[in-house]
Amino acid sequence: MSRKKRRQKQKKDLPEAANGSGLLTNWFRASTAAETAANTGGAVGAVGAVLMAPVILSAIGFTSAGIAGGSYAASMMSSAATANGGGVAAGSLVAILQSAGASGFTEIANTVLASIGGALGTCVGTAVGWLSNIFQKRNEQKRREEAMKAILFGIAAGALFMWSKR
């Protein structure tokens, strides 16, 4: 390629590069607000589930000292004991929650919580992104309609002005 052709190609490619026509830039542009909201929701949901689960267990009465009297956990335990003839069955929901409240969650339980929280957070984030996209499109449509009205008004005003000059 001659020097002159190379220079012409550079002059042509420079504005395209400045506008971000590269493959990587296009990939980043393709990432929509909905995808960003879904990813953010998933991350927040995963971390939030792991951090909030012990707080929630303690709030409903599964504490490190055992089941708090008069709490929701106490009523769960009473119902489970009544259903099982006076004792709480090993492996039941009440027994698992009491164990988690007393000694904390295992690594497997934290993984399960993070997975569930991440999935729920992704669903919520996707819904928020989808709604945001709908409202954004409506706003863009309104702006286009207002611009078209302004253009038509300008044309009508110009025509009226021209007609009045006759």
Side-chain angles (χ1 to χ4, degrees), residues 8 13-14 21 28 56 66 69 75 84 91 104 110 115 139-140 154-155:
Q8 287 173 344
D13 289 346
L14 185 62
S21 65
F28 279 117
I56 292 169
S75 67
N84 290 319
N110 279 331
S115 298
N139 288 340
E140 288 174 8
I155 291 171

Side-chain angles (χ1 to χ4, degrees), residues 4 67 71 73 77 84 101-102 108 128:
K4 185 176 180 181
I67 293 181
S71 65
M77 185 174 184
N84 290 319
I108 293 172
V128 167

Side-chain angles (χ1 to χ4, degrees), residues 90-127:
S92 68
L93 179 63
V94 174
I96 293 169
L97 292 176
Q98 183 175 359
S99 173
S103 60
F105 290 100
T106 64
E107 290 178 16
I108 293 172
N110 279 331
T111 303
V112 170
L113 283 171
S115 298
I116 293 170
L120 292 175
T122 300
C123 290
V124 170
T126 301

Side-chain angles (χ1 to χ4, degrees):
M1 180 181 291
S2 71
R3 183 180 198 138
K4 185 176 180 181
K5 285 185 180 181
R6 201 170 34 239
R7 179 74 77 189
Q8 287 173 344
K9 184 172 177 357
Q10 287 174 343
K11 284 183 180 180
K12 179 185 164 210
D13 289 346
L14 185 62
E16 289 178 8
N19 288 331
S21 65
L23 181 64
L24 186 61
T25 310
N26 287 339
W27 183 80
F28 279 117
R29 279 190 192 152
S31 178
T32 63
E35 290 172 348
T36 304
N39 292 338
T40 304
V44 169
V47 172
V50 172
L51 294 178
M52 292 305 296
V55 175
I56 292 169
L57 276 181
S58 180
I60 62 174
F62 294 104
T63 66
S64 59
I67 293 181
S71 65
Y72 183 72
S75 67
M76 283 179 67
M77 185 174 184
S78 173
S79 297
T82 303
N84 290 319
V88 176
S92 68
L93 179 63
V94 174
I96 293 169
L97 292 176
Q98 183 175 359
S99 173
S103 60
F105 290 100
T106 64
E107 290 178 16
I108 293 172
N110 279 331
T111 303
V112 170
L113 283 171
S115 298
I116 293 170
L120 292 175
T122 300
C123 290
V124 170
T126 301
V128 167
W130 181 71
L131 290 172
S132 171
N133 197 12
I134 288 174
F135 290 122
Q136 185 178 10
K137 285 182 180 177
R138 285 185 184 169
N139 288 340
E140 288 174 8
Q141 180 66 27
K142 285 181 184 178
R143 281 194 293 269
R144 276 192 230 117
E145 289 173 0
E146 290 172 2
M148 186 56 75
K149 286 178 187 176
I151 290 169
L152 292 175
F153 179 76
I155 291 171
L160 186 61
F161 177 75
M162 296 299 287
W163 183 73
S164 70
K165 289 293 182 181
R166 287 176 162 194

